[in-house]
Amino acid sequence: MPAPWITYRPELKVLDCTIRDGGLVNNHHFDDDFVRALYQTCAAAGIDYMEIGYRNSKKIFAPGKHGKWMFCEEDDIRRIIGDEPPGVKLSVMIDAGKSDWRTDIPPKSQSIVDMVRVAFYAHQVSEAVEMIKHAADCGYEVSANLMAVSRNTETEIDQVLELLVETPAQVLVVVDSFGSLYMEQVELLVKKYLAFARPKGKEVGIHTHNNQQLAFANTIEAIIHGASRLDASMGGLGRGAGNCPMELLLGFLRNPKFKIRYVYEFLEKYIEPLRQKWEWGPYPQYYITGQLNLHPRAAIEARSSDRKNCYVEFYDRVSTDI
């Protein structure tokens, strides 16, 4: 039998979330050239899905303050793709409580988007079920992304999963929103999700954050225990500490369909220049919020201030708030 670390599992699918999660670093103000170059890179590299952004409400997120990839209107997407045959499937994310999903999700026949990913917290599961059904009725592939699962009890997770498996969602994603999970917790969660998903013919995915520099390791752990839908971003670009780096994930997967050279070319030409404008990646404030299982908003605020290197001050403040 071949050694599993030198072979590959062809059923694994990779989703690039650079624009969607990375947009939380710069309010989704990516120019068309950047987004087009990323789309072409994903297609050339053999990546399965590209999440081109959110489709959230303009009543909640002011246009101008937020770039066009917070809204992902069809004309904007088509301008990026052009007349070329699609080389990679496209995804958008809709947030429970933040999207006008009843009116902003057109029938699939009118859209270039392939998948809708529904993001929600446990207390929003009733709306999420309706969102999933609506997107599926419109003809899309659908993914259910329960956010901040590290803050939920076992009972809450079970109750959410019981509802989700009765929906048309094809994928249930373990989301480590706070970058707080360790490998043992990832193992337990992936196995739990699979126990609900497999009898219904559904798959399990993983979306990690790098607050404790465990995003790549935890993605590997999820793969080992049966996750087959994998999120990553170029250079780890994503909110706060960022996500699992695409360049590491593709190197690990060893599937010959992935052409990693195109990823490194994109990093060189497009990601490195961004580091001169925007900050992301693991810093001590993110370590602290990850260790304390806290939302990184306080860390993001601290990193944007003139006291961004005052680590003890930050620790004392957030550790006494919990």
Side-chain angles (χ1 to χ4, degrees):
M1 178 179 177
W5 58 90
I6 59 173
T7 58
Y8 70 94
R9 287 167 48 196
E11 73 274 15
L12 299 182
K13 290 183 170 59
V14 174
L15 179 144
D16 177 275
C17 58
T18 304
I19 301 299
R20 200 274 308 165
D21 211 316
L24 298 173
V25 175
N26 67 354
N27 283 339
H28 292 89
H29 287 293
F30 295 106
D31 62 35
D32 284 3
D33 288 343
F34 184 96
V35 180
R36 186 176 296 109
L38 178 59
Y39 174 79
Q40 292 169 348
T41 297
C42 288
I47 292 166
D48 301 281
Y49 292 83
M50 174 181 164
E51 191 165 57
I52 200 164
Y54 287 98
R55 185 163 287 172
N56 279 342
S57 174
K58 290 184 179 180
K59 301 171 188 174
I60 297 173
F61 300 96
K65 179 180 179 181
H66 299 274
K68 63 175 73 78
W69 308 111
M70 176 60 81
F71 313 108
C72 287
E73 294 184 351
E74 290 290 331
D75 288 345
D76 289 324
I77 300 175
R78 291 179 187 276
R79 189 175 61 254
I80 295 301
I81 306 307
D83 297 327
E84 299 178 20
V88 56
K89 289 187 174 183
L90 294 175
S91 166
V92 295
M93 178 170 280
I94 53 175
D95 273 318
K98 297 178 182 178
S99 61
D100 302 316
W101 53 270
R102 291 180 178 87
T103 57
D104 288 353
I105 303 297
K108 174 67 183 80
S109 61
Q110 300 173 19
S111 175
I112 198 169
V113 171
D114 299 283
M115 173 184 278
V116 172
R117 301 218 296 177
V118 176
F120 63 99
Y121 294 105
H123 70 277
Q124 298 171 310
V125 67
S126 295
E127 182 185 9
V129 166
E130 293 184 33
M131 295 166 75
I132 291 166
K133 290 179 178 177
H134 177 73
D137 287 345
C138 287
Y140 298 92
E141 300 175 40
V142 188
S143 168
N145 292 41
L146 169 62
M147 297 184 289
V149 69
S150 60
R151 298 298 295 268
N152 293 129
T153 65
E154 290 283 325
T155 299
E156 288 171 335
I157 298 169
D158 287 346
Q159 290 176 345
V160 168
L161 292 175
E162 285 173 4
L163 292 171
L164 293 181
V165 296
E166 298 303 324
T167 72
Q170 296 103 326
V171 185
L172 312 181
V173 182
V174 176
V175 182
D176 184 14
S177 300
F178 301 166
S180 64
L181 296 178
Y182 297 102
M183 58 183 293
E184 296 87 353
Q185 295 167 291
V186 171
E187 175 184 356
L188 291 172
L189 284 167
V190 169
K191 287 180 176 178
K192 177 187 287 291
Y193 277 51
L194 283 168
F196 282 90
R198 276 180 171 160
K200 299 290 186 175
K202 302 179 187 299
E203 296 181 77
V204 169
I206 183 74
H207 177 89
T208 57
H209 277 265
N210 207 30
N211 298 59
Q212 299 187 85
Q213 300 197 44
L214 292 173
F216 177 46
N218 282 340
T219 300
I220 292 175
E221 189 71 14
I223 294 168
I224 289 169
H225 297 291
S228 55
R229 298 296 190 103
L230 318 171
D231 287 13
S233 66
M234 301 291 174
L237 177 59
R239 185 202 63 200
N243 303 113
C244 175
M246 182 67 73
E247 58 273 21
L248 292 178
L249 179 60
L250 296 191
F252 171 77
L253 293 179
R254 291 181 168 79
N255 188 332
K257 83 168 187 173
F258 296 125
K259 310 300 182 185
I260 198 169
R261 186 180 187 279
Y262 293 103
V263 172
Y264 285 116
E265 183 177 9
F266 186 83
L267 295 182
E268 179 181 327
K269 291 184 177 180
Y270 293 94
I271 293 295
E272 289 310 313
L274 276 190
R275 296 189 189 277
Q276 309 306 313
K277 302 178 183 179
W278 310 103
E279 179 186 280
W280 72 91
Y283 287 90
Q285 287 92 344
Y286 298 123
Y287 303 162
I288 293 165
T289 58
Q291 290 163 351
L292 296 176
N293 195 17
L294 298 174
H295 193 289
R297 64 173 63 91
I300 294 169
E301 181 181 350
R303 293 300 309 170
S304 301
S305 75
D306 59 3
R307 301 188 66 77
K308 67 180 182 180
N309 295 324
C310 297
Y311 306 140
V312 175
E313 174 184 287
F314 180 80
Y315 176 83
D316 288 343
R317 176 161 61 86
V318 300
S319 63
T320 56
D321 287 344
I322 61 175

